[in-house]
Amino acid sequence: MKYSIGYQLPDEFFSTYELCKNYSDAVSEVYFSYSDEPSGRFTLKGDNEEETAQIANLQLEELGEIKKLGKSLTLLYNANCYGDRATSLELKKHILSRTEFLKNKLDIDCITTTSPFIAEIIKEAFRDDIKIRASVNMKIGSVSAMEQLADFFDGYYLQKEYNRNFKVIKELKNWCDKNGKSLHILANSGCMQNCAFQTFHDNLIAHSVGDNGIENVNLGFSAPCHRFLSSLGAEKGITKFMQSNFIRPEEVYLYEEYFTEMKLATRMHSRPTMVLAAYARGKFSGNLLDLTEPSYSSLFKGYILDNAKIPSDWVNSAYFCNKNCYECNVCNTAVKKAVYKIDY
C-alpha cells in the first residue's frame, strides 16, 4: 500500500520533504492547501501580508522539491463553505487564476474539492491535465451519488462511515472500475461515526480564514463533538472512538484488493512521522488515541489505549459488523482490555 500524506510547513524539527525522502517507498502523494486558501483545516495564513507571502514562497519551494522526488501533488479546495462567493464570478476567476499559477509552478496532478462548482470550472479549463476528486467531506457513499457527480469528478473519496463496510466498498469500486473513475479512502480520521457535529464544525473551519472583527463565544473544546465525548467519561468516550471509522495499520491488508493508496490525515497532526511510520510498517505500538487526526489523547488525558493490547479477534467483529452499537459490546470489551490510566 502507498500513502498520501498532508503537507506541513517545515521547522527545526520537521520537514515534509525529508519525510517523503526518508519514506520514499511508502509515499506516493502529498496533498496541500496553498497559503491563505480556505480548506478543511486551518490555513497557513500569516499575521500580515508580508508574512503570508513568505509562507507561500517557502511552501512553493519545498513542494517543488517534493515533486522532484517523483511524488504527486494534490491541491485542496475543500472548504465546506465558500459563503456568498460559492458560485460567484469572483470565486471562479480566483480559482482559475490560482490553479493555473500552481499548475505552471508545481505541475500539480490533482485537485480535491467539496464544491461541484469548483470541480466543473476546473474540468472545463484543464480537462485531463488535472484530475478532480470529490472530498471525503461530501459524504459520498452510494453509486447514485457518484452517478450524479460523474460529469465533474474523476474520483471519489469514500464516505468515512463506510470505511469498515466491505460490501459497500466492493459495490462502489466495481462501479468506478466500469466507469473509468477512481475510489479513494482516508485511513485515520478522528471523526466520530455519523458525527452530528461535522457539518457545523466544517463550516466553522471554513469561515475561520476571515477576520471580521466579531468576538466569538469560547466553546471550551477544540471540536464541538468533544463536549459530548467528555461528558461520557473516559471508558464510554474511548469506546465511541473505537466504534468510529479509522483503519489501524494492522488492518490495511484487508483493503489491498480495493485500493493501491490510502490517505493519511497528517496535515495538522503533531507527529506525522509517527503516523506514516506506523502505516508503512503495518504495525503500531503505542497509544491508539494518538494515531488519528484529530488526536484524542488530550481529550482523555492520562489514559492510554494500548494498541498492542487490542484483542486479536476485535477486527473480525468491528470490521464486519452491522454497526448496531447499542446492542453490541465488542468495542467496549476491547477498550476494557487495552486501556489504562497513568499519573502525571
Side-chain angles (χ1 to χ4, degrees):
M1 185 70 70
K2 300 289 187 180
Y3 295 98
S4 172
I5 64 172
Y7 176 79
Q8 291 193 24
L9 287 171
D11 58 27
E12 63 269 34
F13 303 108
F14 174 79
S15 161
T16 306
Y17 169 77
E18 292 296 331
L19 185 58
C20 289
K21 190 167 67 171
N22 293 338
Y23 287 86
S24 185
D25 291 341
V27 177
S28 53
E29 176 186 272
V30 172
Y31 60 93
F32 70 99
S33 177
Y34 181 64
S35 185
D36 58 348
E37 195 71 51
S39 72
R41 293 289 187 272
F42 294 107
T43 71
L44 300 178
K45 182 181 179 182
D47 293 333
N48 51 60
E49 289 186 9
E50 182 180 358
E51 187 174 321
T52 298
Q54 290 174 348
I55 289 172
N57 289 333
L58 179 60
Q59 190 178 9
L60 288 173
E61 182 179 348
E62 189 174 30
L63 286 169
E65 294 301 311
I66 290 171
K67 182 71 175 182
K68 291 177 184 177
L69 292 176
K71 310 306 176 187
S72 296
L73 296 179
T74 292
L75 173 64
L76 303 178
Y77 291 130
N78 65 338
N80 206 54
C81 179
Y82 287 88
D84 55 6
R85 300 169 66 235
T87 57
S88 66
L89 183 60
E90 176 193 352
L91 181 64
K92 179 178 180 178
K93 289 179 178 178
H94 167 75
I95 291 295
L96 291 180
S97 174
R98 177 151 286 184
T99 302
E100 184 176 13
F101 169 74
L102 291 171
K103 181 64 177 175
N104 293 335
K105 196 76 174 178
L106 297 172
D107 191 24
I108 56 173
D109 302 275
C110 181
I111 285 172
T112 297
T113 183
T114 50
S115 167
F117 174 73
I118 291 176
E120 183 177 23
I121 62 177
I122 292 172
K123 180 62 67 178
E124 288 177 351
F126 295 91
R127 299 298 172 183
D128 294 328
D129 290 338
I130 299 176
K131 296 296 183 183
I132 314 295
R133 294 180 197 156
S135 168
V136 69
N137 293 331
M138 292 185 72
K139 292 183 173 292
I140 295 170
S142 68
V143 167
S144 175
M146 295 194 299
E147 286 178 332
Q148 295 168 39
L149 298 167
D151 288 344
F152 309 136
F153 293 98
D154 302 298
Y156 311 87
Y157 271 96
L158 175 71
Q159 182 177 339
K160 288 174 288 190
E161 281 73 14
Y162 294 114
N163 273 10
R164 300 177 184 173
N165 189 323
F166 289 98
K167 180 181 178 181
V168 170
I169 290 173
K170 184 176 182 179
E171 179 184 1
L172 300 191
K173 182 66 165 61
N174 286 341
W175 184 89
C176 285
D177 289 347
K178 290 177 182 178
N179 290 274
K181 306 293 184 180
S182 57
L183 186 65
H184 305 267
I185 191 167
L186 173 61
N188 67 321
S189 168
C191 280
M192 287 193 301
Q193 189 79 352
N194 300 308
C195 182
F197 299 93
Q198 185 183 342
T199 300
F200 174 66
H201 189 195
D202 287 345
N203 283 343
L204 288 180
I205 294 171
H207 290 288
S208 68
V209 68
D211 183 10
N212 52 23
I214 296 175
E215 184 177 358
N216 293 315
V217 174
N218 185 350
L219 299 179
F221 291 90
S222 58
C225 60
H226 284 192
R227 176 182 295 177
F228 165 71
L229 290 170
S230 180
S231 73
L232 298 177
E235 184 180 307
K236 289 184 178 180
I238 294 173
T239 296
K240 285 290 184 184
F241 168 78
M242 285 293 288
Q243 292 169 343
S244 58
N245 49 64
F246 64 87
I247 300 164
R248 296 194 309 164
E250 290 83 356
E251 277 78 68
V252 167
Y253 74 94
L254 294 169
Y255 296 82
E256 290 177 344
E257 178 182 352
Y258 308 103
F259 303 95
T260 58
E261 177 187 86
M262 281 186 171
K263 182 178 181 178
L264 299 179
T266 57
R267 197 150 54 107
M268 301 293 290
H269 202 288
S270 62
R271 301 172 67 188
T273 302
M274 177 201 73
V275 174
L276 176 58
Y279 282 93
R281 287 193 308 265
K283 184 178 181 179
F284 179 58
S285 300
N287 184 1
L288 196 53
L289 299 174
D290 279 331
L291 194 64
T292 61
E293 182 185 293
S295 164
Y296 283 82
S297 56
S298 60
L299 180 63
F300 301 112
K301 189 173 182 179
Y303 288 87
I304 303 295
L305 182 60
D306 190 342
N307 190 48
K309 293 182 180 180
I310 300 295
S312 59
D313 61 351
W314 173 75
V315 61
N316 296 324
S317 300
Y319 281 71
F320 299 93
C321 73
N322 59 9
K323 287 296 179 186
N324 190 10
C325 296
Y326 286 103
E327 297 181 3
C328 178
N329 203 40
V330 168
C331 288
N332 183 245
T333 300
V335 167
K336 287 181 177 180
K337 291 181 178 180
V339 76
Y340 61 91
K341 194 174 188 303
I342 59 174
D343 295 321
Y344 286 93

